[in-house]
Amino acid sequence: MSTTSALPLRPRPTGRVLADLLPAGSVTRARSRDAALVLGGAALTGIAAQLAVPVPGSPVPVTGQTFAALTVGIALGARRGALALSLYAVAGVCGMPWFAEGLSGAATPTLGYVVGLVLAAAVVGGLARRGGDRSPLATAGVMALGSVCVYAVGVPYLALSLHLPLDRALAVGAAPYLVGDALKAALAMGVIPAVWRRVGDAGTDDRR
């Protein structure tokens, strides 16, 4: 058996994400579509961030923000997903009260998680374009990697902002949320591949 045949679960590059299935008959319409997707992705993340539950002993609440951001990245692809989350971050820093619990500005110690969302959207969007959202196991892996990206920026920023040792920052800024991350990954692995199965992979390759 060849090495290639021994890896049947490896995602096949497809060059497509779910947003590419939306019709765009011309360059102008495609740009309008992409602008609407970016705005919608930022708004969805801002709305989901308001679904917040405080965690005792931690400045980081449980929210729908991460799930929304990763879903936006997977659905829109790396470029549009990163733009959507960048818009979300910049607007929030400039005063839009749509960070978790209605916060805004650059002074919050959880701003690192918001920056991490931009990185995560780009990473999961790139993997989705390579077929990483087509099967349940692959989708769960993509979601898990996206969460790692968020923590990789958010936890060190939290430690610096609150003058905490890194192990303490991990204890209050990551450990309480791992079960929730697993539940989000389970939800995504049930929904996103099912959407692909329903809509199929019709249309032309659109690398946006």
Side-chain angles (χ1 to χ4, degrees):
M1 180 181 295
S2 67
T3 302
T4 301
S5 63
L7 298 172
L9 296 180
R10 184 179 180 181
R12 176 178 59 85
T14 65
R16 296 177 58 76
V17 292
L18 284 169
D20 294 331
L21 299 180
L22 296 175
S26 66
V27 172
T28 300
R29 289 181 180 178
R31 289 175 178 171
S32 298
R33 176 199 65 183
D34 290 350
L37 289 171
V38 168
L39 290 171
L44 176 63
T45 305
I47 292 170
Q50 306 318 306
L51 304 174
V53 178
V55 176
S58 174
V60 185
V62 173
T63 73
Q65 176 182 246
T66 301
F67 180 77
L70 296 183
T71 303
V72 166
I74 289 173
L76 270 58
R79 185 178 67 85
R80 289 175 298 208
L83 284 173
L85 271 299
S86 295
L87 175 60
Y88 169 70
V90 170
V93 167
C94 290
M96 177 73 77
W98 62 359
F99 289 162
E101 300 180 308
L103 297 177
S104 64
T108 171
T110 58
L111 182 63
Y113 293 92
V114 177
V115 177
L117 293 176
V118 180
L119 172 63
V123 170
V124 301
L127 292 172
R129 195 170 288 286
R130 292 184 60 82
D133 61 344
R134 302 304 179 91
S135 72
L137 287 179
T139 301
V142 168
M143 291 288 289
L145 183 56
S147 294
V148 169
C149 291
V150 176
Y151 291 129
V153 182
V155 172
Y157 190 96
L158 185 71
L160 289 172
S161 297
L162 300 180
H163 307 289
L164 299 174
L166 187 57
D167 59 345
R168 178 59 182 163
L170 284 167
V172 301
Y177 312 98
L178 297 180
V179 172
D181 290 341
L183 293 175
K184 294 170 188 175
L187 178 60
M189 67 188 286
V191 172
I192 296 174
V195 173
W196 271 117
R197 288 195 298 271
R198 185 171 183 83
V199 301
D201 193 13
T204 57
D205 194 352
D206 185 359
R207 299 178 183 274
R208 298 187 186 277

